[in-house]
Amino acid sequence: MYESLAHFLKTFSAESPFLWALLVMGVTAATGLVLYGFWEIVLRGVGLALGVGQGRDNGTGNGGH
């Protein structure tokens, strides 16, 4: 399977360099968006997990009373 994929990628890049460049840019952009979404979800989850009890205090020191 890997040999056929490598052969396809080599011939595709040699026969049509413009489409190859578009493919590389598309894969790079898609990977960036997926990683951005993943870390956005992870960091929001961590923020919610760490800030569960902090939302009740309004900064006056008396817990909002």
Side-chain angles (χ1 to χ4, degrees):
M1 179 180 150
Y2 292 112
E3 293 85 15
S4 62
L5 179 62
H7 176 48
F8 167 74
L9 292 175
K10 285 179 185 178
T11 56
F12 185 64
S13 65
E15 292 176 0
S16 53
F18 181 73
L19 291 177
W20 174 254
L22 289 177
L23 176 68
V24 169
M25 288 191 299
V27 168
T28 303
T31 302
L33 289 173
V34 167
L35 287 173
Y36 172 78
F38 171 75
W39 284 113
E40 188 71 24
I41 291 169
V42 167
L43 293 177
R44 282 189 187 200
V46 168
L48 288 174
L50 294 178
V52 170
Q54 297 175 358
R56 295 186 191 127
D57 190 5
N58 63 1
T60 59
N62 60 5
H65 296 307

